[in-house]
Amino acid sequence: MRSDEPVGTARKPVTPARKKVGRPSRLSQPAIVEAAQRIVDTEGDGSLSMRRLARELSITPMALYHHVRDRDQLLRLLLETKARHQPRPTLPDAPRERLTAAAQLLYDVLAECPFLGEILTSEELMNASSRWVTEAVLEAALGCGFTLEEAVALYRAVAHYTGGELLIRLTRERHLAHLDHPPYRSQAMAALQPQTHPRLTALADRWPALTARDTHEAGLEALLDGFFRTLDRSGPPSPAPS
Amino acid sequence: MRSDEPVGTARKPVTPARKKVGRPSRLSQPAIVEAAQRIVDTEGDGSLSMRRLARELSITPMALYHHVRDRDQLLRLLLETKARHQPRPTLPDAPRERLTAAAQLLYDVLAECPFLGEILTSEELMNASSRWVTEAVLEAALGCGFTLEEAVALYRAVAHYTGGELLIRLTRERHLAHLDHPPYRSQAMAALQPQTHPRLTALADRWPALTARDTHEAGLEALLDGFFRTLDRSGPPSPAPS
DNA sequence: ACCTGAACACCGTTCAAGT
DNA sequence: ACCTGAACACCGTTCAAGT
């Protein structure tokens, strides 16, 4: 609920406490964002076009451009609004657990945004995501004893890992949904020659089961573990052997 | 060069050793893919549309659909061709170094594909990427003593991390290229309140420098380190404490 | 079998004009 | 200031017809 970020300002958001009481000029940035969210929820993010959105609001497509610079800005607005209204759980106090929870939070927040792939096509993940999640991860990392540089590097690694996982999973699900011909993977797997791809062919029939498992948490844990190893090395004595 | 995968088959690739000598019916899947690659190289992947491609080949857009099922297949074809022709360096023999090199290879191969984001919108990274890279990572992981399950989990974590990094970096660069208004990040950063976002505001001016650094290898190393830690725990005695 | 032409159902955005 | 209408320059793809 707190008004946390600007983002808006196509020209001027204005909204001067309402005109009087009559018609508050109908259109407003929040109203647009809300309508956009409605479309995404009911028809999927593939249906969210400026024209479709205008139709939803019963206005001309061009009217939108008075409250929003372009489609990119609309998508960012959408993600930020979502992130702002996301519940903010209290994180554990123990440093290591706090960091894990904060990193997991990034996943949870971003997972709410099926149009994430489109955002990525227009800006970085960190900008797109809500700043409070970033803040939580940095804070937790510093609390673990990482330096500023290390904390930022850690944040970025977590963001890349998380973003990659989500993008791949989301698009995979979307794709499988409306598919008539058998998934491309089956064909590709079936055509592998054992002599050039021994492990893949050996794995072929178990691959679907193996990749269906949710390994996000395990991978995240490994990633954080790896960063903690560098901490252990530099933290105690021993001035780095090699 | 070796013909490694099928992928093709819109209806039938045919190409019956050439008609005789006259005109080999002009259009062919390889020719289409090559033209597409030319467009991507010279005009960027944003320009690669079926219509633009048809213009490049001086044919009707619809003629393409005789050799390629749809735009999705064309993109996959493009990535596979690229991956197939990519040099295949000999990896080090030492297991750990071999795994690191194989994982790095995934990055190198995928980095060659600016249209990667579009592929992701249509299939998984592993399918899209060349199978030989996957094979190399699995082989290296097994050589390190991981089980099949662990090796697949490791591969997936590496793929997600790599995919996320590349997607974010690629789209960031593309975006910065044609940008008139100041990047969104500056605005967003400038508007942060110190009381709610103390570390981010403290970092604000150093952020560009910190995020410009290439931290891919460090993060990858950390991720692999983390997986090796689980190995150390289960490998020697001690039947898992908790 | 391979290709064309016309059409369908869309896009994001600019520009000039209305109130 | 806020919105409309018409237009520009595109998309991917289907369908019926030509050779």
Side-chain angles (χ1 to χ4, degrees), chain A:
Chain A
M1 267 296 169
R2 65 198 78 176
S3 91
D4 200 4
E5 13 252 39
V7 191
T9 10
R11 282 311 137 85
K12 276 169 204 160
V14 169
T15 322
R18 217 160 284 210
K19 268 289 180 68
K20 204 80 249 178
V21 111
R23 264 153 284 132
S25 81
R26 309 213 310 101
L27 218 47
S28 71
Q29 205 175 72
I32 290 176
V33 171
E34 201 218 3
Q37 185 61 62
R38 205 161 50 231
I39 293 175
V40 170
D41 288 342
T42 58
E43 298 172 44
D45 65 298
S47 304
L48 183 59
S49 70
M50 298 302 269
R51 293 174 118 106
R52 173 71 191 84
L53 181 54
R55 221 163 58 226
E56 180 81 9
L57 291 161
S58 310
I59 47 152
T60 301
M62 283 317 298
L64 294 170
Y65 288 85
H66 244 266
H67 301 86
V68 145
R69 194 201 316 264
D70 52 18
R71 192 163 177 275
D72 265 16
Q73 200 201 13
L74 175 68
L75 291 176
R76 285 197 304 257
L77 241 26
L78 214 44
L79 176 48
E80 300 229 359
T81 308
K82 196 119 204 181
R84 185 157 46 238
H85 293 209
Q86 199 88 342
R88 310 193 187 191
T90 48
L91 302 175
D93 283 326
R96 175 64 203 257
E97 280 71 36
R98 191 180 185 82
L99 179 57
T100 305
Q104 181 68 44
L105 207 56
L106 185 63
Y107 183 85
D108 297 337
V109 168
L110 293 178
E112 290 296 312
C113 296
F115 48 89
L116 203 116
E118 294 223 66
I119 289 262
L120 258 195
T121 297
S122 76
E123 262 289 9
E124 291 160 274
L125 200 58
M126 128 93 216
N127 305 339
S129 102
S130 185
R131 252 72 78 239
W132 65 265
V133 190
T134 308
E135 180 71 21
V137 175
L138 289 177
E139 186 259 351
L142 293 171
C144 287
F146 288 103
T147 66
L148 261 181
E149 285 82 3
E150 290 169 337
V152 172
L154 188 149
Y155 168 76
R156 293 181 75 209
V158 169
H160 292 160
Y161 173 69
T162 305
E165 164 131 19
L166 277 174
L167 286 173
I168 289 168
R169 190 163 64 76
L170 284 175
T171 55
R172 181 174 128 78
E173 280 164 11
R174 184 189 349 240
H175 206 65
L176 290 180
H178 47 71
L179 207 56
D180 39 351
H181 50 278
Y184 170 66
R185 177 173 61 195
S186 333
Q187 301 169 235
M189 278 276 187
L192 286 177
Q193 290 144 331
Q195 58 268 41
T196 55
H197 303 83
R199 349 272 147 176
L200 266 178
T201 43
L203 270 166
D205 43 343
R206 300 182 55 199
W207 190 267
L210 283 172
T211 55
R213 304 197 307 185
D214 183 5
T215 53
H216 172 74
E217 218 173 326
L220 185 60
E221 210 62 62
L223 183 59
L224 295 180
D225 262 352
F227 273 95
F228 270 96
R229 261 199 49 157
T230 71
L231 238 193
D232 295 343
R233 271 203 292 267
S234 64
S238 155
S242 171

